[in-house]
Amino acid sequence: MSEAIRTAAGRSTPHTHPSHPCGPLVQRTGPAVLRRWVDARGAVLRSGDRTGECQWCHGSPGVGLFFVKAYEVLGDAQYIETAKAAGETMYAHGDVRANPSQCHGLAGNAEVLVELYRLTRDALWLERAHDFAARTLIYRKSTPEGDVWQGDDPLSTSPDFLCGAAGVGHFFLRLLDPDGMRMPLL
């Protein structure tokens, strides 16, 4: 198996070892991320207000995934606490984009919930991931060719990973096996 495939599968690789030169870089990057990230658990979303952006590509879930991985690699408890705060923020905003996709929808947002469960074994995070899965099912449409999922645009469908059915399907597979099926972008 190639190094890239092992990395995508989440298996240990040399770059994930705490003594790797990237360890200090992550430790220096973390505070910069925290200075720019707004913990918006109590925020009210308003048109044009970017505070409530809660997608992994623009907001709390992405911040949470960064700190989940930082905790996993470096073992610093402050990283998992920050990841939990990001997970709480995202969960509080729910289906903010009315979208099931990985990129900026329910499936992608729930990745931080699955990762938090995988690392903490706190059933709350898995329960919340299943809640997002139930919400995601609302977007499934049956056609003569099979089930399709709303893409980024509510009037379109797509087979791709980030904005379509492949990403939604991958999320459901992760719910079945959080330890064995890893997010390929981490």
Side-chain angles (χ1 to χ4, degrees):
M1 183 184 321
S2 77
E3 185 71 4
I5 293 172
R6 277 195 299 277
T7 300
R11 289 172 177 65
S12 180
T13 61
H15 80 278
T16 63
H17 193 274
S19 65
H20 187 277
C22 288
L25 180 61
V26 170
Q27 290 169 331
R28 288 193 311 269
T29 302
V33 170
L34 283 177
R35 279 193 301 278
R36 298 205 47 178
W37 174 59
V38 177
D39 180 349
R41 281 177 277 190
V44 176
L45 300 179
R46 293 181 183 90
S47 179
D49 179 5
R50 295 185 61 126
T51 302
E53 289 186 338
C54 282
Q55 301 85 42
W56 73 256
C57 58
H58 287 95
S60 300
V63 170
L65 289 170
F66 170 82
F67 282 105
V68 158
K69 195 61 167 179
Y71 171 74
E72 186 174 28
V73 171
L74 301 172
D76 189 329
Q78 73 178 349
Y79 295 147
I80 196 68
E81 293 307 313
T82 302
K84 289 176 185 179
E88 291 285 353
T89 298
M90 181 278 305
Y91 187 75
H93 289 291
D95 190 8
V96 70
R97 285 281 312 264
N99 186 313
S101 77
Q102 274 284 335
C103 189
H104 35 265
L106 289 165
N109 286 1
E111 292 290 354
V112 73
L113 302 173
V114 174
E115 286 297 295
L116 284 166
Y117 168 72
R118 187 178 65 78
L119 289 179
T120 68
R121 292 301 190 215
D122 182 343
L124 172 70
W125 299 114
L126 188 60
E127 178 183 311
R128 288 178 172 182
H130 280 274
D131 174 48
F132 269 42
R135 296 180 197 199
T136 300
L137 285 171
I138 294 167
Y139 294 97
R140 181 178 62 186
K141 296 176 185 154
S142 293
T143 71
E145 293 81 31
D147 288 349
V148 296
W149 298 86
Q150 172 188 312
D152 185 40
D153 176 346
L155 301 177
S156 70
T157 60
S158 172
D160 71 29
F161 184 82
L162 288 177
C163 294
V168 172
H170 187 268
F171 164 60
F172 286 127
L173 289 171
R174 288 200 15 94
L175 280 178
L176 293 173
D177 187 8
D179 295 309
M181 176 64 80
R182 301 293 288 275
M183 187 174 182
L185 303 176
L186 288 179

PDB file of all heavy atoms in Angstrom, residues 1 4-11 179-184:
ATOM      1  N   MET A   1       0.856  -1.174   0.000  1.00  0.00           N
ATOM      2  CA  MET A   1       0.000   0.000   0.000  1.00  0.00           C
ATOM      3  C   MET A   1       0.903   1.238   0.000  1.00  0.00           C
ATOM      4  O   MET A   1       1.881   1.299   0.712  1.00  0.00           O
ATOM      5  CB  MET A   1      -0.888  -0.018   1.246  1.00  0.00           C
ATOM      6  CG  MET A   1      -1.862   1.116   1.292  1.00  0.00           C
ATOM      7  SD  MET A   1      -2.888   1.261   2.797  1.00  0.00           S
ATOM      8  CE  MET A   1      -3.317  -0.358   3.255  1.00  0.00           C
ATOM      9  N   ALA A   4       0.615   7.431   0.520  1.00  0.00           N
ATOM     10  CA  ALA A   4      -0.565   8.297   0.416  1.00  0.00           C
ATOM     11  C   ALA A   4      -1.828   7.560   0.825  1.00  0.00           C
ATOM     12  O   ALA A   4      -2.686   8.120   1.507  1.00  0.00           O
ATOM     13  CB  ALA A   4      -0.704   8.828  -1.009  1.00  0.00           C
ATOM     14  N   ILE A   5      -1.949   6.308   0.431  1.00  0.00           N
ATOM     15  CA  ILE A   5      -3.142   5.537   0.796  1.00  0.00           C
ATOM     16  C   ILE A   5      -3.154   5.269   2.297  1.00  0.00           C
ATOM     17  O   ILE A   5      -4.179   5.396   2.946  1.00  0.00           O
ATOM     18  CB  ILE A   5      -3.221   4.225  -0.010  1.00  0.00           C
ATOM     19  CG1 ILE A   5      -3.470   4.541  -1.484  1.00  0.00           C
ATOM     20  CG2 ILE A   5      -4.300   3.304   0.537  1.00  0.00           C
ATOM     21  CD1 ILE A   5      -3.383   3.356  -2.404  1.00  0.00           C
ATOM     22  N   ARG A   6      -1.999   4.925   2.895  1.00  0.00           N
ATOM     23  CA  ARG A   6      -1.946   4.724   4.345  1.00  0.00           C
ATOM     24  C   ARG A   6      -2.332   6.008   5.074  1.00  0.00           C
ATOM     25  O   ARG A   6      -3.058   5.980   6.061  1.00  0.00           O
ATOM     26  CB  ARG A   6      -0.557   4.268   4.775  1.00  0.00           C
ATOM     27  CG  ARG A   6      -0.335   2.788   4.611  1.00  0.00           C
ATOM     28  CD  ARG A   6       0.887   2.321   5.368  1.00  0.00           C
ATOM     29  NE  ARG A   6       2.106   2.953   4.915  1.00  0.00           N
ATOM     30  CZ  ARG A   6       2.816   2.560   3.859  1.00  0.00           C
ATOM     31  NH1 ARG A   6       2.414   1.532   3.151  1.00  0.00           N
ATOM     32  NH2 ARG A   6       3.924   3.177   3.523  1.00  0.00           N
ATOM     33  N   THR A   7      -1.863   7.141   4.578  1.00  0.00           N
ATOM     34  CA  THR A   7      -2.201   8.421   5.200  1.00  0.00           C
ATOM     35  C   THR A   7      -3.696   8.669   5.090  1.00  0.00           C
ATOM     36  O   THR A   7      -4.349   9.034   6.062  1.00  0.00           O
ATOM     37  CB  THR A   7      -1.426   9.570   4.525  1.00  0.00           C
ATOM     38  OG1 THR A   7      -0.041   9.321   4.689  1.00  0.00           O
ATOM     39  CG2 THR A   7      -1.790  10.908   5.141  1.00  0.00           C
ATOM     40  N   ALA A   8      -4.259   8.452   3.899  1.00  0.00           N
ATOM     41  CA  ALA A   8      -5.689   8.671   3.708  1.00  0.00           C
ATOM     42  C   ALA A   8      -6.513   7.734   4.567  1.00  0.00           C
ATOM     43  O   ALA A   8      -7.591   8.084   5.029  1.00  0.00           O
ATOM     44  CB  ALA A   8      -6.066   8.488   2.231  1.00  0.00           C
ATOM     45  N   ALA A   9      -6.009   6.550   4.807  1.00  0.00           N
ATOM     46  CA  ALA A   9      -6.734   5.582   5.632  1.00  0.00           C
ATOM     47  C   ALA A   9      -6.575   5.872   7.121  1.00  0.00           C
ATOM     48  O   ALA A   9      -7.187   5.223   7.947  1.00  0.00           O
ATOM     49  CB  ALA A   9      -6.244   4.170   5.324  1.00  0.00           C
ATOM     50  N   GLY A  10      -5.735   6.853   7.463  1.00  0.00           N
ATOM     51  CA  GLY A  10      -5.581   7.240   8.861  1.00  0.00           C
ATOM     52  C   GLY A  10      -4.574   6.410   9.628  1.00  0.00           C
ATOM     53  O   GLY A  10      -4.483   6.518  10.833  1.00  0.00           O
ATOM     54  N   ARG A  11      -3.793   5.588   8.957  1.00  0.00           N
ATOM     55  CA  ARG A  11      -2.796   4.795   9.652  1.00  0.00           C
ATOM     56  C   ARG A  11      -1.592   5.675   9.973  1.00  0.00           C
ATOM     57  O   ARG A  11      -1.335   6.655   9.312  1.00  0.00           O
ATOM     58  CB  ARG A  11      -2.400   3.600   8.804  1.00  0.00           C
ATOM     59  CG  ARG A  11      -3.543   2.584   8.743  1.00  0.00           C
ATOM     60  CD  ARG A  11      -3.252   1.491   7.750  1.00  0.00           C
ATOM     61  NE  ARG A  11      -4.262   0.476   7.709  1.00  0.00           N
ATOM     62  CZ  ARG A  11      -5.513   0.643   7.329  1.00  0.00           C
ATOM     63  NH1 ARG A  11      -5.972   1.816   7.026  1.00  0.00           N
ATOM     64  NH2 ARG A  11      -6.359  -0.366   7.274  1.00  0.00           N
ATOM     65  N   ASP A 179     -13.650   4.053  13.446  1.00  0.00           N
ATOM     66  CA  ASP A 179     -12.228   3.750  13.600  1.00  0.00           C
ATOM     67  C   ASP A 179     -11.596   3.246  12.303  1.00  0.00           C
ATOM     68  O   ASP A 179     -10.428   3.489  12.051  1.00  0.00           O
ATOM     69  CB  ASP A 179     -12.012   2.715  14.703  1.00  0.00           C
ATOM     70  CG  ASP A 179     -12.420   3.253  16.058  1.00  0.00           C
ATOM     71  OD1 ASP A 179     -11.964   4.353  16.418  1.00  0.00           O
ATOM     72  OD2 ASP A 179     -13.210   2.578  16.748  1.00  0.00           O
ATOM     73  N   GLY A 180     -12.367   2.537  11.511  1.00  0.00           N
ATOM     74  CA  GLY A 180     -11.819   1.932  10.299  1.00  0.00           C
ATOM     75  C   GLY A 180     -11.913   2.812   9.071  1.00  0.00           C
ATOM     76  O   GLY A 180     -11.042   2.783   8.212  1.00  0.00           O
ATOM     77  N   MET A 181     -12.967   3.590   8.968  1.00  0.00           N
ATOM     78  CA  MET A 181     -13.172   4.457   7.806  1.00  0.00           C
ATOM     79  C   MET A 181     -12.802   5.879   8.230  1.00  0.00           C
ATOM     80  O   MET A 181     -13.468   6.462   9.081  1.00  0.00           O
ATOM     81  CB  MET A 181     -14.633   4.392   7.350  1.00  0.00           C
ATOM     82  CG  MET A 181     -14.976   5.319   6.219  1.00  0.00           C
ATOM     83  SD  MET A 181     -14.115   4.958   4.694  1.00  0.00           S
ATOM     84  CE  MET A 181     -15.075   3.611   4.067  1.00  0.00           C
ATOM     85  N   ARG A 182     -11.746   6.401   7.654  1.00  0.00           N
ATOM     86  CA  ARG A 182     -11.272   7.728   8.062  1.00  0.00           C
ATOM     87  C   ARG A 182     -11.586   8.752   6.982  1.00  0.00           C
ATOM     88  O   ARG A 182     -11.817   8.427   5.830  1.00  0.00           O
ATOM     89  CB  ARG A 182      -9.761   7.686   8.319  1.00  0.00           C
ATOM     90  CG  ARG A 182      -9.355   6.692   9.399  1.00  0.00           C
ATOM     91  CD  ARG A 182      -9.828   7.065  10.791  1.00  0.00           C
ATOM     92  NE  ARG A 182      -9.108   8.185  11.327  1.00  0.00           N
ATOM     93  CZ  ARG A 182      -7.945   8.127  11.965  1.00  0.00           C
ATOM     94  NH1 ARG A 182      -7.367   6.965  12.168  1.00  0.00           N
ATOM     95  NH2 ARG A 182      -7.369   9.209  12.399  1.00  0.00           N
ATOM     96  N   MET A 183     -11.573   9.997   7.386  1.00  0.00           N
ATOM     97  CA  MET A 183     -11.804  11.090   6.447  1.00  0.00           C
ATOM     98  C   MET A 183     -10.548  11.259   5.591  1.00  0.00           C
ATOM     99  O   MET A 183      -9.471  11.478   6.118  1.00  0.00           O
ATOM    100  CB  MET A 183     -12.121  12.373   7.208  1.00  0.00           C
ATOM    101  CG  MET A 183     -12.523  13.502   6.303  1.00  0.00           C
ATOM    102  SD  MET A 183     -13.038  14.934   7.244  1.00  0.00           S
ATOM    103  CE  MET A 183     -13.481  16.017   5.907  1.00  0.00           C
ATOM    104  N   PRO A 184     -10.684  11.167   4.276  1.00  0.00           N
ATOM    105  CA  PRO A 184      -9.492  11.186   3.415  1.00  0.00           C
ATOM    106  C   PRO A 184      -8.747  12.520   3.420  1.00  0.00           C
ATOM    107  O   PRO A 184      -7.597  12.568   3.041  1.00  0.00           O
ATOM    108  CB  PRO A 184     -10.033  10.865   2.027  1.00  0.00           C
ATOM    109  CG  PRO A 184     -11.459  11.225   2.074  1.00  0.00           C
ATOM    110  CD  PRO A 184     -11.896  11.016   3.493  1.00  0.00           C
TER     111      PRO A 184
END
